[in-house]
Amino acid sequence: MDIAQRLAAIDELCFRPLPAEHGGPPGSGHHVVVLESTRGLRGGGPSGRAVTREQYAAYRDALHERLAARWGPSDPWNLDTVLLRTADEEIPEPWAGLARRARMAYLWEAADTGRWIALAVADRDDGDEIRLLALATPTAPP
């Protein structure tokens, strides 16, 4: 997927109907789109994972530049602190799940959509594939 296709997928997240969240009203859920994913890197060596992580971070950063021009700048959001908070408080989805998968994200409140958009590299679990993720939710971050 090239950058134009990734941006189109993110644009679609802004307007695609959201599912219900665990028995809640329609539109209370979230969507997660995998923009890139490794195949066969699950449990791979640290050097191969490091190279892929760097490449996916570069993809994320290139998307960040384009989205910052559209929605304004976004500082990196440390998901380690969100993950730590899950031990003592209930963090709503999709934020708790994102914190279990990624270490940082860029985050925007997409203008005129009522949705939050996050962009992250899911690389926390060495036993899983590395993924470049975009998510959309009406739930404000904690």
Side-chain angles (χ1 to χ4, degrees):
M1 190 180 287
D2 65 22
I3 195 164
Q5 291 169 316
R6 292 181 195 119
L7 286 168
I10 293 167
D11 287 341
E12 184 180 337
L13 285 176
C14 291
F15 300 103
R16 182 191 309 170
L18 293 169
E21 182 74 29
H22 300 290
S28 61
H30 63 274
H31 285 298
V32 177
V33 172
V34 177
L35 301 173
E36 290 292 331
S37 180
T38 59
R39 288 176 180 67
L41 199 58
R42 187 179 300 237
S47 62
R49 289 185 67 83
V51 168
T52 301
R53 185 179 297 115
E54 292 288 324
Q55 183 62 53
Y56 283 20
Y59 294 159
R60 179 200 60 215
D61 294 348
L63 286 167
H64 170 259
E65 286 182 28
R66 299 279 181 94
L67 295 173
R70 181 187 300 175
W71 293 324
S74 172
D75 292 328
W77 185 36
N78 184 347
L79 292 170
D80 288 336
T81 59
V82 176
L83 186 62
L84 287 171
R85 289 172 54 198
T86 63
D88 296 323
E89 63 184 280
E90 188 167 330
I91 302 295
E93 291 299 337
W95 307 116
L98 185 62
R100 285 189 298 273
R101 298 174 77 183
R103 291 170 171 73
M104 71 79 68
Y106 288 113
L107 182 65
W108 296 269
E109 188 171 13
D112 301 321
T113 68
R115 296 185 185 184
W116 290 89
I117 303 294
L119 195 57
V121 176
D123 65 339
R124 194 179 286 278
D125 183 356
D126 289 338
D128 199 2
E129 302 295 334
I130 297 173
R131 295 177 178 91
L132 175 61
L133 303 175
L135 72 80
T137 182
T139 305

